[in-house]
Amino acid sequence: MALTRTEMDRKIDEHFHFEANDDVAGVLATLSPDVEHDIVGSPSGPTRGHGGARPFYESLFNDLSDSKVECLRRLYGDGFLVDESMWRGRAPGRPFGLEGKGRPLEFRLLHVVEFAESGHIQRENVWLDLAAIIRQLPQD
């Protein structure tokens, strides 16, 4: 049986909550064991399973801090949602290969998320506004 919008919202909001708290174990708990994790443009390309997703989140939580995600809109389908959000926080590390130097940062994100019947995230496909990130984190 397909998940309801409320069930999908609950899972993606839980996922974002764990991300905002730099909780790798919590984030991974929202993903199915065989999740396809695809951050578009990432040098590693799409990964599979918790072991494939873990390094991305460990790096992300070192590179970005004070995360706040504001949902701008969501679109729903049978077993999936598309979430457009605004991410705001700071860049103390090297997000996306750029020196952050602790500067404030904000950028749009687009998540395409498919759900397993268990309610876990089966596939996470993330697109981000890299042009906005580059503009805010000019390199010397």
PDB file of all heavy atoms in Angstrom, residues 2-4 12 14 21 30 48 70-71 75-77 79 82 85 97-98 103-104 133:
ATOM      1  N   ALA A   2       0.550   2.215  -0.827  1.00  0.00           N
ATOM      2  CA  ALA A   2       1.334   3.446  -0.936  1.00  0.00           C
ATOM      3  C   ALA A   2       1.186   4.290   0.327  1.00  0.00           C
ATOM      4  O   ALA A   2       0.150   4.277   0.990  1.00  0.00           O
ATOM      5  CB  ALA A   2       0.883   4.250  -2.147  1.00  0.00           C
ATOM      6  N   LEU A   3       2.223   5.015   0.637  1.00  0.00           N
ATOM      7  CA  LEU A   3       2.196   5.911   1.792  1.00  0.00           C
ATOM      8  C   LEU A   3       1.295   7.104   1.513  1.00  0.00           C
ATOM      9  O   LEU A   3       1.181   7.562   0.366  1.00  0.00           O
ATOM     10  CB  LEU A   3       3.604   6.418   2.084  1.00  0.00           C
ATOM     11  CG  LEU A   3       4.649   5.387   2.481  1.00  0.00           C
ATOM     12  CD1 LEU A   3       6.013   6.051   2.560  1.00  0.00           C
ATOM     13  CD2 LEU A   3       4.302   4.739   3.800  1.00  0.00           C
ATOM     14  N   THR A   4       0.724   7.650   2.570  1.00  0.00           N
ATOM     15  CA  THR A   4      -0.056   8.872   2.444  1.00  0.00           C
ATOM     16  C   THR A   4       0.891  10.076   2.423  1.00  0.00           C
ATOM     17  O   THR A   4       2.070   9.954   2.788  1.00  0.00           O
ATOM     18  CB  THR A   4      -1.030   9.032   3.630  1.00  0.00           C
ATOM     19  OG1 THR A   4      -0.258   9.227   4.827  1.00  0.00           O
ATOM     20  CG2 THR A   4      -1.945   7.820   3.761  1.00  0.00           C
ATOM     21  N   ILE A  12      10.249  12.474   5.732  1.00  0.00           N
ATOM     22  CA  ILE A  12      11.229  13.424   5.204  1.00  0.00           C
ATOM     23  C   ILE A  12      11.537  14.495   6.260  1.00  0.00           C
ATOM     24  O   ILE A  12      12.681  14.925   6.394  1.00  0.00           O
ATOM     25  CB  ILE A  12      10.800  14.044   3.850  1.00  0.00           C
ATOM     26  CG1 ILE A  12      11.977  14.739   3.168  1.00  0.00           C
ATOM     27  CG2 ILE A  12       9.641  14.995   3.994  1.00  0.00           C
ATOM     28  CD1 ILE A  12      13.061  13.836   2.685  1.00  0.00           C
ATOM     29  N   GLU A  14      11.500  13.970   9.487  1.00  0.00           N
ATOM     30  CA  GLU A  14      12.378  13.271  10.433  1.00  0.00           C
ATOM     31  C   GLU A  14      13.813  13.247   9.890  1.00  0.00           C
ATOM     32  O   GLU A  14      14.771  13.517  10.613  1.00  0.00           O
ATOM     33  CB  GLU A  14      11.861  11.847  10.648  1.00  0.00           C
ATOM     34  CG  GLU A  14      12.712  10.997  11.554  1.00  0.00           C
ATOM     35  CD  GLU A  14      12.215   9.557  11.628  1.00  0.00           C
ATOM     36  OE1 GLU A  14      11.522   9.080  10.711  1.00  0.00           O
ATOM     37  OE2 GLU A  14      12.564   8.903  12.626  1.00  0.00           O
ATOM     38  N   ASN A  21      20.611  18.200  13.066  1.00  0.00           N
ATOM     39  CA  ASN A  21      21.295  17.909  14.327  1.00  0.00           C
ATOM     40  C   ASN A  21      22.585  17.125  14.124  1.00  0.00           C
ATOM     41  O   ASN A  21      23.141  16.587  15.098  1.00  0.00           O
ATOM     42  CB  ASN A  21      20.343  17.161  15.266  1.00  0.00           C
ATOM     43  CG  ASN A  21      19.268  18.081  15.787  1.00  0.00           C
ATOM     44  OD1 ASN A  21      19.545  18.987  16.566  1.00  0.00           O
ATOM     45  ND2 ASN A  21      18.047  17.890  15.322  1.00  0.00           N
ATOM     46  N   THR A  30      16.552   6.587   8.703  1.00  0.00           N
ATOM     47  CA  THR A  30      15.403   6.943   7.866  1.00  0.00           C
ATOM     48  C   THR A  30      15.503   6.330   6.465  1.00  0.00           C
ATOM     49  O   THR A  30      14.540   6.367   5.708  1.00  0.00           O
ATOM     50  CB  THR A  30      15.254   8.472   7.718  1.00  0.00           C
ATOM     51  OG1 THR A  30      16.365   8.999   6.985  1.00  0.00           O
ATOM     52  CG2 THR A  30      15.127   9.158   9.069  1.00  0.00           C
ATOM     53  N   ARG A  48      25.076   3.194  -2.903  1.00  0.00           N
ATOM     54  CA  ARG A  48      24.051   2.241  -2.451  1.00  0.00           C
ATOM     55  C   ARG A  48      24.271   1.897  -0.987  1.00  0.00           C
ATOM     56  O   ARG A  48      25.407   1.754  -0.537  1.00  0.00           O
ATOM     57  CB  ARG A  48      24.131   0.959  -3.263  1.00  0.00           C
ATOM     58  CG  ARG A  48      23.562   1.112  -4.627  1.00  0.00           C
ATOM     59  CD  ARG A  48      22.353   0.214  -4.757  1.00  0.00           C
ATOM     60  NE  ARG A  48      21.740   0.399  -6.053  1.00  0.00           N
ATOM     61  CZ  ARG A  48      20.487   0.762  -6.205  1.00  0.00           C
ATOM     62  NH1 ARG A  48      19.721   0.966  -5.169  1.00  0.00           N
ATOM     63  NH2 ARG A  48      19.977   0.901  -7.407  1.00  0.00           N
ATOM     64  N   GLU A  70      14.054  25.216   5.271  1.00  0.00           N
ATOM     65  CA  GLU A  70      12.688  25.725   5.154  1.00  0.00           C
ATOM     66  C   GLU A  70      12.059  25.136   3.898  1.00  0.00           C
ATOM     67  O   GLU A  70      12.553  25.361   2.787  1.00  0.00           O
ATOM     68  CB  GLU A  70      12.699  27.250   5.054  1.00  0.00           C
ATOM     69  CG  GLU A  70      11.340  27.846   4.794  1.00  0.00           C
ATOM     70  CD  GLU A  70      11.403  29.332   4.437  1.00  0.00           C
ATOM     71  OE1 GLU A  70      12.510  29.912   4.432  1.00  0.00           O
ATOM     72  OE2 GLU A  70      10.332  29.886   4.147  1.00  0.00           O
ATOM     73  N   CYS A  71      11.000  24.386   4.084  1.00  0.00           N
ATOM     74  CA  CYS A  71      10.287  23.814   2.938  1.00  0.00           C
ATOM     75  C   CYS A  71       9.539  24.926   2.204  1.00  0.00           C
ATOM     76  O   CYS A  71       8.790  25.688   2.811  1.00  0.00           O
ATOM     77  CB  CYS A  71       9.314  22.735   3.411  1.00  0.00           C
ATOM     78  SG  CYS A  71       8.358  22.021   2.059  1.00  0.00           S
ATOM     79  N   LEU A  75       5.595  18.423  -3.852  1.00  0.00           N
ATOM     80  CA  LEU A  75       4.720  17.778  -4.821  1.00  0.00           C
ATOM     81  C   LEU A  75       4.738  16.289  -4.510  1.00  0.00           C
ATOM     82  O   LEU A  75       5.785  15.741  -4.141  1.00  0.00           O
ATOM     83  CB  LEU A  75       5.214  18.030  -6.247  1.00  0.00           C
ATOM     84  CG  LEU A  75       5.390  19.500  -6.638  1.00  0.00           C
ATOM     85  CD1 LEU A  75       6.053  19.605  -8.004  1.00  0.00           C
ATOM     86  CD2 LEU A  75       4.040  20.208  -6.646  1.00  0.00           C
ATOM     87  N   TYR A  76       3.584  15.633  -4.680  1.00  0.00           N
ATOM     88  CA  TYR A  76       3.452  14.243  -4.269  1.00  0.00           C
ATOM     89  C   TYR A  76       3.004  13.368  -5.434  1.00  0.00           C
ATOM     90  O   TYR A  76       2.238  13.796  -6.290  1.00  0.00           O
ATOM     91  CB  TYR A  76       2.403  14.118  -3.150  1.00  0.00           C
ATOM     92  CG  TYR A  76       2.735  14.931  -1.931  1.00  0.00           C
ATOM     93  CD1 TYR A  76       2.353  16.268  -1.835  1.00  0.00           C
ATOM     94  CD2 TYR A  76       3.422  14.365  -0.873  1.00  0.00           C
ATOM     95  CE1 TYR A  76       2.653  17.014  -0.710  1.00  0.00           C
ATOM     96  CE2 TYR A  76       3.725  15.097   0.261  1.00  0.00           C
ATOM     97  CZ  TYR A  76       3.337  16.427   0.335  1.00  0.00           C
ATOM     98  OH  TYR A  76       3.637  17.164   1.449  1.00  0.00           O
ATOM     99  N   GLY A  77       3.476  12.134  -5.396  1.00  0.00           N
ATOM    100  CA  GLY A  77       3.028  11.125  -6.336  1.00  0.00           C
ATOM    101  C   GLY A  77       2.855   9.815  -5.592  1.00  0.00           C
ATOM    102  O   GLY A  77       2.977   9.764  -4.362  1.00  0.00           O
ATOM    103  N   GLY A  79       4.008   7.053  -3.921  1.00  0.00           N
ATOM    104  CA  GLY A  79       5.229   6.534  -3.325  1.00  0.00           C
ATOM    105  C   GLY A  79       6.432   7.452  -3.432  1.00  0.00           C
ATOM    106  O   GLY A  79       7.555   7.038  -3.162  1.00  0.00           O
ATOM    107  N   VAL A  82       8.509  15.321  -4.124  1.00  0.00           N
ATOM    108  CA  VAL A  82       9.536  16.265  -4.561  1.00  0.00           C
ATOM    109  C   VAL A  82       9.455  17.431  -3.587  1.00  0.00           C
ATOM    110  O   VAL A  82       8.390  18.016  -3.391  1.00  0.00           O
ATOM    111  CB  VAL A  82       9.286  16.748  -6.014  1.00  0.00           C
ATOM    112  CG1 VAL A  82      10.333  17.773  -6.420  1.00  0.00           C
ATOM    113  CG2 VAL A  82       9.253  15.569  -6.976  1.00  0.00           C
ATOM    114  N   SER A  85      13.342  23.172  -1.049  1.00  0.00           N
ATOM    115  CA  SER A  85      13.630  23.797   0.237  1.00  0.00           C
ATOM    116  C   SER A  85      14.730  24.838   0.098  1.00  0.00           C
ATOM    117  O   SER A  85      15.482  24.838  -0.877  1.00  0.00           O
ATOM    118  CB  SER A  85      14.097  22.744   1.251  1.00  0.00           C
ATOM    119  OG  SER A  85      13.072  21.850   1.558  1.00  0.00           O
ATOM    120  N   GLY A  97      33.690  21.191  -1.985  1.00  0.00           N
ATOM    121  CA  GLY A  97      35.043  21.485  -2.445  1.00  0.00           C
ATOM    122  C   GLY A  97      35.453  22.941  -2.353  1.00  0.00           C
ATOM    123  O   GLY A  97      36.524  23.322  -2.819  1.00  0.00           O
ATOM    124  N   LEU A  98      34.634  23.777  -1.732  1.00  0.00           N
ATOM    125  CA  LEU A  98      34.916  25.210  -1.617  1.00  0.00           C
ATOM    126  C   LEU A  98      35.281  25.562  -0.173  1.00  0.00           C
ATOM    127  O   LEU A  98      34.664  25.052   0.760  1.00  0.00           O
ATOM    128  CB  LEU A  98      33.694  26.032  -2.036  1.00  0.00           C
ATOM    129  CG  LEU A  98      33.199  25.793  -3.462  1.00  0.00           C
ATOM    130  CD1 LEU A  98      31.832  26.433  -3.654  1.00  0.00           C
ATOM    131  CD2 LEU A  98      34.199  26.346  -4.460  1.00  0.00           C
ATOM    132  N   ARG A 103      31.696  31.186   6.774  1.00  0.00           N
ATOM    133  CA  ARG A 103      30.771  32.198   6.253  1.00  0.00           C
ATOM    134  C   ARG A 103      29.326  31.704   6.242  1.00  0.00           C
ATOM    135  O   ARG A 103      29.064  30.512   6.121  1.00  0.00           O
ATOM    136  CB  ARG A 103      31.185  32.596   4.831  1.00  0.00           C
ATOM    137  CG  ARG A 103      32.502  33.361   4.801  1.00  0.00           C
ATOM    138  CD  ARG A 103      32.946  33.671   3.397  1.00  0.00           C
ATOM    139  NE  ARG A 103      33.574  32.478   2.814  1.00  0.00           N
ATOM    140  CZ  ARG A 103      34.244  32.475   1.666  1.00  0.00           C
ATOM    141  NH1 ARG A 103      34.357  33.594   0.960  1.00  0.00           N
ATOM    142  NH2 ARG A 103      34.785  31.374   1.208  1.00  0.00           N
ATOM    143  N   PRO A 104      28.386  32.664   6.341  1.00  0.00           N
ATOM    144  CA  PRO A 104      26.975  32.279   6.212  1.00  0.00           C
ATOM    145  C   PRO A 104      26.709  31.809   4.784  1.00  0.00           C
ATOM    146  O   PRO A 104      27.390  32.238   3.836  1.00  0.00           O
ATOM    147  CB  PRO A 104      26.213  33.574   6.519  1.00  0.00           C
ATOM    148  CG  PRO A 104      27.206  34.670   6.420  1.00  0.00           C
ATOM    149  CD  PRO A 104      28.575  34.080   6.569  1.00  0.00           C
ATOM    150  N   ILE A 133      25.925  28.805  -4.211  1.00  0.00           N
ATOM    151  CA  ILE A 133      26.972  28.460  -3.253  1.00  0.00           C
ATOM    152  C   ILE A 133      28.301  29.088  -3.678  1.00  0.00           C
ATOM    153  O   ILE A 133      28.998  29.703  -2.864  1.00  0.00           O
ATOM    154  CB  ILE A 133      27.096  26.924  -3.118  1.00  0.00           C
ATOM    155  CG1 ILE A 133      25.811  26.359  -2.508  1.00  0.00           C
ATOM    156  CG2 ILE A 133      28.317  26.549  -2.284  1.00  0.00           C
ATOM    157  CD1 ILE A 133      25.696  24.849  -2.574  1.00  0.00           C
TER     158      ILE A 133
END
